[in-house]
Structures are given as C-alpha cells and as structure tokens.
Amino acid sequence: MKLVLSILLFLSFSNIPEIADIRKLYSSVVNSDTNAKEFAAKLADVTKEDNKTLYAYKGASIAILAKYKKEIHDKAKSFKEGAKMVEWAVASEPNTIEIRLIRLSIQEKAPKFLKYNANKKEDKNFLLDHYKEQSGTLKSYIKNFILQSKSFSTVEKQSIQ
C-alpha cells in the first residue's frame, strides 16, 4: 500500500508538462528568446522514457534555442542536438502524426546550409494522408499548422477545410 501511495505522490509532483500546454506554447517560441527559453525550461525534465511526442518537442526546443545563441559553433551544436532528438522520436514512433508535424516545423525553419530538410515532403504527405483520422484538439492543432505552413499549397490547405 505504501508503494502505491509513493508512486501516486511521485506522479502528482512530476515535472512532466501536459501536451496540451506545450502545444499552446509551441507556436510562439520562434519569435521570442524569452518564449523559447520558457518553452525549453518546461521540457527540461522530459526524457526518452517519457512521452515520445514531448521528447520531440524537447528536441525542437533545443533546435529553436540555437537561433538565439551568439557563437556559430554553439548554434550548430544546439541545432544538431535538437534535431537528433526529434529524429529519435520519429524513429521510435514513425506513425505519430504530431511528431511528424514537429519535425516538419523544424525543417521548414532550418537554414538551408544546415541541410535539415530531407523529410519535408514525406512529413507533409503524412500529415495530409492522416489528417482526417484525427479528432478534437489535435486535429485543430494540425489544421492550424497546415494553414500557416509554407510547405502546403493552396489546394492542399483547402483540402483540409
């Protein structure tokens, strides 16, 4: 009985954020150093053993923070570290649409010289192919991403309306 109570107390005090809260913050992290740091701080305790989608967001947060580093070497190192985490999440759960969305969003914003754009078409098609299977908040989140994304044509954007 004590073990069960201990586990419940540990889980209630866990620093793992709710995915809904992370989704709300994600769209604002690219535009602000402060938002990017706050976003990364919320994901600091997420590990590979936790939710893979949250782990992908953590990788995205590290890649995004690279934008705000001063030294080129630090920028590249941070971006590569974050991208590697996102790629691990995709490899772990290749059929999770939100992880694909995260990777596509990072690849869209990545400078061309980093050559992190090999999966843009694959992820875009994955989102379009599986969009109708989604429901509720996630479907709305994906729709909002597609509508603002430069990877999708006008026809593709209209197809999800």
Side-chain angles (χ1 to χ4, degrees):
M1 185 65 166
K2 288 182 181 180
L3 178 62
V4 173
L5 184 58
S6 296
I7 292 172
L8 288 174
L9 283 172
F10 174 76
L11 292 175
S12 67
F13 291 110
S14 176
N15 287 333
I16 305 304
E18 292 292 322
I19 196 121
D21 296 334
I22 295 303
R23 284 180 190 146
K24 288 177 189 173
L25 292 173
Y26 189 57
S27 62
S28 68
V29 299
V30 177
N31 304 321
S32 161
D33 179 21
T34 304
N35 290 355
K37 287 178 181 173
E38 178 185 335
F39 186 70
K42 287 189 180 292
L43 293 161
D45 292 335
V46 174
T47 68
K48 285 182 175 181
E49 289 73 36
D50 295 319
N51 179 300
K52 303 306 182 252
T53 303
L54 284 175
Y55 190 73
Y57 277 117
K58 180 177 182 174
S61 74
I62 292 168
I64 291 165
L65 281 175
K67 176 180 178 179
Y68 302 106
K69 303 273 184 189
K70 294 191 185 322
E71 301 292 325
I72 298 289
H73 176 274
D74 293 336
K75 286 178 182 263
K77 183 179 176 186
S78 181
F79 184 85
K80 287 177 184 178
E81 177 187 353
K84 184 178 177 181
M85 293 168 73
V86 172
E87 290 300 325
W88 185 88
V90 172
S92 295
E93 293 189 4
N95 294 320
T96 301
I97 194 168
E98 191 165 359
I99 294 174
R100 296 295 195 102
L101 179 150
I102 295 163
R103 180 169 68 178
L104 178 58
S105 71
I106 295 298
Q107 289 190 355
E108 282 183 345
K109 302 282 188 210
K112 288 189 189 322
F113 72 88
L114 290 172
K115 298 180 181 167
Y116 187 63
N117 57 12
N119 307 101
K120 284 172 66 173
K121 186 174 182 179
E122 171 190 342
D123 290 343
K124 177 186 98 162
N125 289 336
F126 189 90
L127 266 64
L128 290 172
D129 291 345
H130 298 281
Y131 171 76
K132 290 186 173 138
E133 300 164 12
Q134 309 309 308
S135 61
T137 308
L138 180 57
K139 189 172 190 176
S140 176
Y141 182 67
I142 295 166
K143 179 180 179 179
N144 290 337
F145 172 78
I146 290 172
L147 293 176
Q148 63 79 39
S149 172
K150 294 179 181 174
S151 294
F152 296 86
S153 70
T154 303
V155 172
E156 290 167 330
K157 290 177 181 183
Q158 290 171 346
S159 75
I160 63 155
Q161 301 274 352

